[in-house]
PDB file of all heavy atoms in Angstrom:
ATOM      1  N   ASP A 198      -4.380 -38.832 -13.464  1.00  0.00           N
ATOM      2  CA  ASP A 198      -5.241 -38.142 -12.505  1.00  0.00           C
ATOM      3  C   ASP A 198      -4.864 -36.674 -12.322  1.00  0.00           C
ATOM      4  O   ASP A 198      -5.436 -35.991 -11.466  1.00  0.00           O
ATOM      5  CB  ASP A 198      -5.191 -38.837 -11.144  1.00  0.00           C
ATOM      6  CG  ASP A 198      -5.810 -40.225 -11.179  1.00  0.00           C
ATOM      7  OD1 ASP A 198      -6.679 -40.467 -12.042  1.00  0.00           O
ATOM      8  OD2 ASP A 198      -5.407 -41.069 -10.351  1.00  0.00           O
ATOM      9  N   LEU A 199      -3.891 -36.203 -13.115  1.00  0.00           N
ATOM     10  CA  LEU A 199      -3.371 -34.846 -12.942  1.00  0.00           C
ATOM     11  C   LEU A 199      -3.593 -33.991 -14.186  1.00  0.00           C
ATOM     12  O   LEU A 199      -2.836 -33.068 -14.462  1.00  0.00           O
ATOM     13  CB  LEU A 199      -1.877 -34.898 -12.617  1.00  0.00           C
ATOM     14  CG  LEU A 199      -1.502 -35.721 -11.381  1.00  0.00           C
ATOM     15  CD1 LEU A 199       0.006 -35.925 -11.327  1.00  0.00           C
ATOM     16  CD2 LEU A 199      -1.995 -35.038 -10.113  1.00  0.00           C
ATOM     17  N   ALA A 200      -4.633 -34.281 -14.938  1.00  0.00           N
ATOM     18  CA  ALA A 200      -4.914 -33.550 -16.178  1.00  0.00           C
ATOM     19  C   ALA A 200      -4.995 -32.047 -15.907  1.00  0.00           C
ATOM     20  O   ALA A 200      -5.497 -31.612 -14.867  1.00  0.00           O
ATOM     21  CB  ALA A 200      -6.225 -34.063 -16.771  1.00  0.00           C
ATOM     22  N   PRO A 201      -4.437 -31.241 -16.845  1.00  0.00           N
ATOM     23  CA  PRO A 201      -3.935 -31.630 -18.170  1.00  0.00           C
ATOM     24  C   PRO A 201      -2.428 -31.883 -18.210  1.00  0.00           C
ATOM     25  O   PRO A 201      -1.806 -31.706 -19.250  1.00  0.00           O
ATOM     26  CB  PRO A 201      -4.286 -30.393 -19.008  1.00  0.00           C
ATOM     27  CG  PRO A 201      -4.098 -29.252 -18.044  1.00  0.00           C
ATOM     28  CD  PRO A 201      -4.547 -29.777 -16.706  1.00  0.00           C
ATOM     29  N   ALA A 202      -1.821 -32.282 -17.090  1.00  0.00           N
ATOM     30  CA  ALA A 202      -0.375 -32.491 -17.046  1.00  0.00           C
ATOM     31  C   ALA A 202       0.053 -33.584 -18.014  1.00  0.00           C
ATOM     32  O   ALA A 202      -0.587 -34.632 -18.109  1.00  0.00           O
ATOM     33  CB  ALA A 202       0.058 -32.868 -15.632  1.00  0.00           C
ATOM     34  N   ARG A 203       1.156 -33.318 -18.726  1.00  0.00           N
ATOM     35  CA  ARG A 203       1.732 -34.304 -19.649  1.00  0.00           C
ATOM     36  C   ARG A 203       3.178 -34.621 -19.313  1.00  0.00           C
ATOM     37  O   ARG A 203       3.712 -35.633 -19.760  1.00  0.00           O
ATOM     38  CB  ARG A 203       1.665 -33.797 -21.088  1.00  0.00           C
ATOM     39  CG  ARG A 203       0.263 -33.611 -21.644  1.00  0.00           C
ATOM     40  CD  ARG A 203       0.343 -33.271 -23.126  1.00  0.00           C
ATOM     41  NE  ARG A 203       1.070 -32.013 -23.340  1.00  0.00           N
ATOM     42  CZ  ARG A 203       1.624 -31.658 -24.510  1.00  0.00           C
ATOM     43  NH1 ARG A 203       1.547 -32.488 -25.548  1.00  0.00           N
ATOM     44  NH2 ARG A 203       2.239 -30.494 -24.625  1.00  0.00           N
ATOM     45  N   PHE A 204       3.823 -33.721 -18.580  1.00  0.00           N
ATOM     46  CA  PHE A 204       5.249 -33.858 -18.292  1.00  0.00           C
ATOM     47  C   PHE A 204       5.492 -33.666 -16.805  1.00  0.00           C
ATOM     48  O   PHE A 204       4.651 -33.143 -16.064  1.00  0.00           O
ATOM     49  CB  PHE A 204       6.063 -32.828 -19.085  1.00  0.00           C
ATOM     50  CG  PHE A 204       5.780 -32.819 -20.562  1.00  0.00           C
ATOM     51  CD1 PHE A 204       5.132 -31.743 -21.153  1.00  0.00           C
ATOM     52  CD2 PHE A 204       6.145 -33.900 -21.360  1.00  0.00           C
ATOM     53  CE1 PHE A 204       4.863 -31.737 -22.508  1.00  0.00           C
ATOM     54  CE2 PHE A 204       5.883 -33.903 -22.720  1.00  0.00           C
ATOM     55  CZ  PHE A 204       5.231 -32.814 -23.294  1.00  0.00           C
ATOM     56  N   VAL A 205       6.681 -34.072 -16.362  1.00  0.00           N
ATOM     57  CA  VAL A 205       7.103 -33.822 -14.985  1.00  0.00           C
ATOM     58  C   VAL A 205       8.015 -32.591 -14.973  1.00  0.00           C
ATOM     59  O   VAL A 205       8.650 -32.283 -15.972  1.00  0.00           O
ATOM     60  CB  VAL A 205       7.854 -35.048 -14.421  1.00  0.00           C
ATOM     61  CG1 VAL A 205       6.874 -36.173 -14.146  1.00  0.00           C
ATOM     62  CG2 VAL A 205       8.956 -35.535 -15.366  1.00  0.00           C
ATOM     63  N   PRO A 206       8.063 -31.891 -13.826  1.00  0.00           N
ATOM     64  CA  PRO A 206       7.380 -32.172 -12.573  1.00  0.00           C
ATOM     65  C   PRO A 206       5.944 -31.644 -12.568  1.00  0.00           C
ATOM     66  O   PRO A 206       5.595 -30.766 -13.356  1.00  0.00           O
ATOM     67  CB  PRO A 206       8.230 -31.413 -11.554  1.00  0.00           C
ATOM     68  CG  PRO A 206       8.698 -30.206 -12.315  1.00  0.00           C
ATOM     69  CD  PRO A 206       8.967 -30.720 -13.715  1.00  0.00           C
ATOM     70  N   VAL A 207       5.163 -32.179 -11.655  1.00  0.00           N
ATOM     71  CA  VAL A 207       3.804 -31.707 -11.413  1.00  0.00           C
ATOM     72  C   VAL A 207       3.617 -31.594  -9.908  1.00  0.00           C
ATOM     73  O   VAL A 207       4.083 -32.448  -9.153  1.00  0.00           O
ATOM     74  CB  VAL A 207       2.743 -32.669 -12.003  1.00  0.00           C
ATOM     75  CG1 VAL A 207       1.340 -32.090 -11.805  1.00  0.00           C
ATOM     76  CG2 VAL A 207       3.005 -32.945 -13.468  1.00  0.00           C
ATOM     77  N   LEU A 208       2.923 -30.539  -9.508  1.00  0.00           N
ATOM     78  CA  LEU A 208       2.683 -30.280  -8.093  1.00  0.00           C
ATOM     79  C   LEU A 208       1.178 -30.345  -7.823  1.00  0.00           C
ATOM     80  O   LEU A 208       0.380 -29.860  -8.625  1.00  0.00           O
ATOM     81  CB  LEU A 208       3.209 -28.892  -7.732  1.00  0.00           C
ATOM     82  CG  LEU A 208       3.466 -28.564  -6.259  1.00  0.00           C
ATOM     83  CD1 LEU A 208       4.552 -29.455  -5.690  1.00  0.00           C
ATOM     84  CD2 LEU A 208       3.860 -27.090  -6.128  1.00  0.00           C
ATOM     85  N   ARG A 209       0.806 -30.947  -6.698  1.00  0.00           N
ATOM     86  CA  ARG A 209      -0.590 -30.962  -6.278  1.00  0.00           C
ATOM     87  C   ARG A 209      -0.656 -30.568  -4.810  1.00  0.00           C
ATOM     88  O   ARG A 209       0.098 -31.092  -3.987  1.00  0.00           O
ATOM     89  CB  ARG A 209      -1.203 -32.345  -6.478  1.00  0.00           C
ATOM     90  CG  ARG A 209      -2.716 -32.416  -6.155  1.00  0.00           C
ATOM     91  CD  ARG A 209      -3.275 -33.784  -6.479  1.00  0.00           C
ATOM     92  NE  ARG A 209      -2.643 -34.815  -5.655  1.00  0.00           N
ATOM     93  CZ  ARG A 209      -2.629 -36.131  -5.968  1.00  0.00           C
ATOM     94  NH1 ARG A 209      -3.207 -36.551  -7.065  1.00  0.00           N
ATOM     95  NH2 ARG A 209      -2.034 -36.994  -5.170  1.00  0.00           N
ATOM     96  N   ASP A 210      -1.560 -29.623  -4.494  1.00  0.00           N
ATOM     97  CA  ASP A 210      -1.661 -29.195  -3.108  1.00  0.00           C
ATOM     98  C   ASP A 210      -2.738 -29.984  -2.375  1.00  0.00           C
ATOM     99  O   ASP A 210      -3.395 -30.857  -2.954  1.00  0.00           O
ATOM    100  CB  ASP A 210      -1.878 -27.684  -3.010  1.00  0.00           C
ATOM    101  CG  ASP A 210      -3.254 -27.245  -3.517  1.00  0.00           C
ATOM    102  OD1 ASP A 210      -4.133 -28.097  -3.765  1.00  0.00           O
ATOM    103  OD2 ASP A 210      -3.440 -26.021  -3.664  1.00  0.00           O
ATOM    104  N   GLU A 211      -2.920 -29.679  -1.106  1.00  0.00           N
ATOM    105  CA  GLU A 211      -3.847 -30.447  -0.277  1.00  0.00           C
ATOM    106  C   GLU A 211      -5.302 -30.256  -0.699  1.00  0.00           C
ATOM    107  O   GLU A 211      -6.159 -31.088  -0.379  1.00  0.00           O
ATOM    108  CB  GLU A 211      -3.653 -30.066   1.192  1.00  0.00           C
ATOM    109  CG  GLU A 211      -2.336 -30.570   1.768  1.00  0.00           C
ATOM    110  CD  GLU A 211      -2.150 -30.184   3.224  1.00  0.00           C
ATOM    111  OE1 GLU A 211      -2.907 -29.310   3.707  1.00  0.00           O
ATOM    112  OE2 GLU A 211      -1.248 -30.742   3.867  1.00  0.00           O
ATOM    113  N   ALA A 212      -5.581 -29.167  -1.414  1.00  0.00           N
ATOM    114  CA  ALA A 212      -6.934 -28.934  -1.920  1.00  0.00           C
ATOM    115  C   ALA A 212      -7.183 -29.630  -3.252  1.00  0.00           C
ATOM    116  O   ALA A 212      -8.284 -29.552  -3.792  1.00  0.00           O
ATOM    117  CB  ALA A 212      -7.188 -27.437  -2.062  1.00  0.00           C
ATOM    118  N   GLY A 213      -6.158 -30.295  -3.774  1.00  0.00           N
ATOM    119  CA  GLY A 213      -6.293 -30.993  -5.041  1.00  0.00           C
ATOM    120  C   GLY A 213      -5.974 -30.140  -6.247  1.00  0.00           C
ATOM    121  O   GLY A 213      -6.138 -30.591  -7.385  1.00  0.00           O
ATOM    122  N   ILE A 214      -5.508 -28.901  -6.038  1.00  0.00           N
ATOM    123  CA  ILE A 214      -5.131 -28.032  -7.151  1.00  0.00           C
ATOM    124  C   ILE A 214      -3.827 -28.538  -7.759  1.00  0.00           C
ATOM    125  O   ILE A 214      -2.850 -28.770  -7.045  1.00  0.00           O
ATOM    126  CB  ILE A 214      -4.978 -26.579  -6.692  1.00  0.00           C
ATOM    127  CG1 ILE A 214      -6.317 -26.050  -6.182  1.00  0.00           C
ATOM    128  CG2 ILE A 214      -4.451 -25.706  -7.824  1.00  0.00           C
ATOM    129  CD1 ILE A 214      -6.236 -24.675  -5.546  1.00  0.00           C
ATOM    130  N   VAL A 215      -3.837 -28.711  -9.069  1.00  0.00           N
ATOM    131  CA  VAL A 215      -2.672 -29.231  -9.786  1.00  0.00           C
ATOM    132  C   VAL A 215      -1.964 -28.082 -10.498  1.00  0.00           C
ATOM    133  O   VAL A 215      -2.603 -27.276 -11.191  1.00  0.00           O
ATOM    134  CB  VAL A 215      -3.097 -30.310 -10.806  1.00  0.00           C
ATOM    135  CG1 VAL A 215      -1.895 -30.783 -11.625  1.00  0.00           C
ATOM    136  CG2 VAL A 215      -3.746 -31.488 -10.081  1.00  0.00           C
ATOM    137  N   ILE A 216      -0.647 -28.011 -10.315  1.00  0.00           N
ATOM    138  CA  ILE A 216       0.168 -27.000 -10.985  1.00  0.00           C
ATOM    139  C   ILE A 216       1.236 -27.716 -11.797  1.00  0.00           C
ATOM    140  O   ILE A 216       2.087 -28.410 -11.239  1.00  0.00           O
ATOM    141  CB  ILE A 216       0.840 -26.032  -9.991  1.00  0.00           C
ATOM    142  CG1 ILE A 216      -0.199 -25.422  -9.039  1.00  0.00           C
ATOM    143  CG2 ILE A 216       1.586 -24.942 -10.742  1.00  0.00           C
ATOM    144  CD1 ILE A 216      -0.145 -25.977  -7.654  1.00  0.00           C
ATOM    145  N   GLY A 217       1.175 -27.575 -13.107  1.00  0.00           N
ATOM    146  CA  GLY A 217       2.195 -28.140 -13.980  1.00  0.00           C
ATOM    147  C   GLY A 217       3.130 -27.050 -14.462  1.00  0.00           C
ATOM    148  O   GLY A 217       2.840 -25.853 -14.333  1.00  0.00           O
ATOM    149  N   ASP A 218       4.258 -27.450 -15.013  1.00  0.00           N
ATOM    150  CA  ASP A 218       5.296 -26.548 -15.531  1.00  0.00           C
ATOM    151  C   ASP A 218       6.054 -25.884 -14.386  1.00  0.00           C
ATOM    152  O   ASP A 218       5.467 -25.251 -13.515  1.00  0.00           O
ATOM    153  CB  ASP A 218       4.717 -25.487 -16.467  1.00  0.00           C
ATOM    154  CG  ASP A 218       5.816 -24.735 -17.189  1.00  0.00           C
ATOM    155  OD1 ASP A 218       6.429 -23.834 -16.598  1.00  0.00           O
ATOM    156  OD2 ASP A 218       6.079 -25.070 -18.351  1.00  0.00           O
ATOM    157  N   SER A 219       7.364 -26.011 -14.423  1.00  0.00           N
ATOM    158  CA  SER A 219       8.195 -25.566 -13.308  1.00  0.00           C
ATOM    159  C   SER A 219       8.101 -24.065 -13.059  1.00  0.00           C
ATOM    160  O   SER A 219       8.182 -23.619 -11.911  1.00  0.00           O
ATOM    161  CB  SER A 219       9.647 -25.975 -13.543  1.00  0.00           C
ATOM    162  OG  SER A 219      10.109 -25.420 -14.751  1.00  0.00           O
ATOM    163  N   LEU A 220       7.935 -23.269 -14.110  1.00  0.00           N
ATOM    164  CA  LEU A 220       7.846 -21.830 -13.909  1.00  0.00           C
ATOM    165  C   LEU A 220       6.543 -21.467 -13.195  1.00  0.00           C
ATOM    166  O   LEU A 220       6.537 -20.623 -12.285  1.00  0.00           O
ATOM    167  CB  LEU A 220       7.945 -21.100 -15.250  1.00  0.00           C
ATOM    168  CG  LEU A 220       8.075 -19.579 -15.178  1.00  0.00           C
ATOM    169  CD1 LEU A 220       9.239 -19.161 -14.296  1.00  0.00           C
ATOM    170  CD2 LEU A 220       8.232 -18.995 -16.584  1.00  0.00           C
ATOM    171  N   ALA A 221       5.442 -22.105 -13.578  1.00  0.00           N
ATOM    172  CA  ALA A 221       4.171 -21.878 -12.876  1.00  0.00           C
ATOM    173  C   ALA A 221       4.274 -22.350 -11.430  1.00  0.00           C
ATOM    174  O   ALA A 221       3.744 -21.695 -10.514  1.00  0.00           O
ATOM    175  CB  ALA A 221       3.042 -22.613 -13.601  1.00  0.00           C
ATOM    176  N   MET A 222       4.949 -23.468 -11.210  1.00  0.00           N
ATOM    177  CA  MET A 222       5.150 -23.948  -9.854  1.00  0.00           C
ATOM    178  C   MET A 222       5.941 -22.941  -9.029  1.00  0.00           C
ATOM    179  O   MET A 222       5.586 -22.639  -7.881  1.00  0.00           O
ATOM    180  CB  MET A 222       5.876 -25.301  -9.883  1.00  0.00           C
ATOM    181  CG  MET A 222       5.038 -26.444 -10.412  1.00  0.00           C
ATOM    182  SD  MET A 222       6.021 -27.937 -10.777  1.00  0.00           S
ATOM    183  CE  MET A 222       6.898 -28.168  -9.234  1.00  0.00           C
ATOM    184  N   ALA A 223       7.007 -22.402  -9.612  1.00  0.00           N
ATOM    185  CA  ALA A 223       7.864 -21.456  -8.898  1.00  0.00           C
ATOM    186  C   ALA A 223       7.090 -20.214  -8.491  1.00  0.00           C
ATOM    187  O   ALA A 223       7.170 -19.758  -7.337  1.00  0.00           O
ATOM    188  CB  ALA A 223       9.062 -21.081  -9.767  1.00  0.00           C
ATOM    189  N   GLU A 224       6.337 -19.652  -9.420  1.00  0.00           N
ATOM    190  CA  GLU A 224       5.598 -18.430  -9.114  1.00  0.00           C
ATOM    191  C   GLU A 224       4.483 -18.699  -8.107  1.00  0.00           C
ATOM    192  O   GLU A 224       4.209 -17.872  -7.233  1.00  0.00           O
ATOM    193  CB  GLU A 224       5.033 -17.824 -10.395  1.00  0.00           C
ATOM    194  CG  GLU A 224       6.091 -17.223 -11.315  1.00  0.00           C
ATOM    195  CD  GLU A 224       6.725 -15.950 -10.757  1.00  0.00           C
ATOM    196  OE1 GLU A 224       6.479 -15.580  -9.579  1.00  0.00           O
ATOM    197  OE2 GLU A 224       7.486 -15.312 -11.498  1.00  0.00           O
ATOM    198  N   THR A 225       3.835 -19.851  -8.209  1.00  0.00           N
ATOM    199  CA  THR A 225       2.783 -20.186  -7.254  1.00  0.00           C
ATOM    200  C   THR A 225       3.349 -20.330  -5.850  1.00  0.00           C
ATOM    201  O   THR A 225       2.783 -19.809  -4.876  1.00  0.00           O
ATOM    202  CB  THR A 225       2.077 -21.494  -7.679  1.00  0.00           C
ATOM    203  OG1 THR A 225       1.493 -21.315  -8.974  1.00  0.00           O
ATOM    204  CG2 THR A 225       0.992 -21.869  -6.682  1.00  0.00           C
ATOM    205  N   LEU A 226       4.471 -21.020  -5.720  1.00  0.00           N
ATOM    206  CA  LEU A 226       5.081 -21.211  -4.400  1.00  0.00           C
ATOM    207  C   LEU A 226       5.584 -19.889  -3.825  1.00  0.00           C
ATOM    208  O   LEU A 226       5.446 -19.633  -2.623  1.00  0.00           O
ATOM    209  CB  LEU A 226       6.216 -22.221  -4.495  1.00  0.00           C
ATOM    210  CG  LEU A 226       5.802 -23.667  -4.818  1.00  0.00           C
ATOM    211  CD1 LEU A 226       7.033 -24.528  -5.064  1.00  0.00           C
ATOM    212  CD2 LEU A 226       4.955 -24.257  -3.697  1.00  0.00           C
ATOM    213  N   ALA A 227       6.173 -19.040  -4.678  1.00  0.00           N
ATOM    214  CA  ALA A 227       6.645 -17.739  -4.199  1.00  0.00           C
ATOM    215  C   ALA A 227       5.482 -16.879  -3.720  1.00  0.00           C
ATOM    216  O   ALA A 227       5.598 -16.149  -2.729  1.00  0.00           O
ATOM    217  CB  ALA A 227       7.415 -17.034  -5.314  1.00  0.00           C
ATOM    218  N   GLU A 228       4.368 -16.962  -4.408  1.00  0.00           N
ATOM    219  CA  GLU A 228       3.171 -16.211  -4.027  1.00  0.00           C
ATOM    220  C   GLU A 228       2.582 -16.727  -2.717  1.00  0.00           C
ATOM    221  O   GLU A 228       2.164 -15.943  -1.858  1.00  0.00           O
ATOM    222  CB  GLU A 228       2.149 -16.332  -5.153  1.00  0.00           C
ATOM    223  CG  GLU A 228       0.826 -15.632  -4.906  1.00  0.00           C
ATOM    224  CD  GLU A 228      -0.134 -15.854  -6.062  1.00  0.00           C
ATOM    225  OE1 GLU A 228      -0.587 -17.016  -6.242  1.00  0.00           O
ATOM    226  OE2 GLU A 228      -0.415 -14.897  -6.785  1.00  0.00           O
ATOM    227  N   ARG A 229       2.548 -18.043  -2.553  1.00  0.00           N
ATOM    228  CA  ARG A 229       1.947 -18.635  -1.361  1.00  0.00           C
ATOM    229  C   ARG A 229       2.839 -18.551  -0.131  1.00  0.00           C
ATOM    230  O   ARG A 229       2.353 -18.559   1.004  1.00  0.00           O
ATOM    231  CB  ARG A 229       1.606 -20.103  -1.632  1.00  0.00           C
ATOM    232  CG  ARG A 229       0.473 -20.316  -2.615  1.00  0.00           C
ATOM    233  CD  ARG A 229       0.186 -21.803  -2.743  1.00  0.00           C
ATOM    234  NE  ARG A 229      -0.961 -22.069  -3.604  1.00  0.00           N
ATOM    235  CZ  ARG A 229      -1.473 -23.289  -3.805  1.00  0.00           C
ATOM    236  NH1 ARG A 229      -0.924 -24.332  -3.187  1.00  0.00           N
ATOM    237  NH2 ARG A 229      -2.508 -23.455  -4.590  1.00  0.00           N
ATOM    238  N   HIS A 230       4.150 -18.529  -0.346  1.00  0.00           N
ATOM    239  CA  HIS A 230       5.100 -18.595   0.779  1.00  0.00           C
ATOM    240  C   HIS A 230       6.112 -17.446   0.693  1.00  0.00           C
ATOM    241  O   HIS A 230       7.323 -17.678   0.532  1.00  0.00           O
ATOM    242  CB  HIS A 230       5.824 -19.940   0.763  1.00  0.00           C
ATOM    243  CG  HIS A 230       4.905 -21.126   0.758  1.00  0.00           C
ATOM    244  ND1 HIS A 230       4.290 -21.588   1.894  1.00  0.00           N
ATOM    245  CD2 HIS A 230       4.489 -21.931  -0.260  1.00  0.00           C
ATOM    246  CE1 HIS A 230       3.537 -22.629   1.597  1.00  0.00           C
ATOM    247  NE2 HIS A 230       3.632 -22.852   0.297  1.00  0.00           N
TER     248      HIS A 230
END
């Protein structure tokens, strides 16, 4: 249900946006918070 994710970790926010890859997760979280 998290396409196109193939590996862990995967992040999903309350809006249903899926972020895969730890580096993308890190930059997204730094941008949001």
Side-chain angles (χ1 to χ4, degrees):
D198 293 334
L199 303 169
R203 296 187 298 160
F204 308 111
V205 287
V207 184
L208 199 63
R209 184 176 63 200
D210 69 11
E211 290 180 346
I214 297 173
V215 176
I216 307 106
D218 191 281
S219 58
L220 189 54
M222 290 167 52
E224 290 290 8
T225 300
L226 293 173
E228 179 182 68
R229 291 183 176 185
H230 305 281

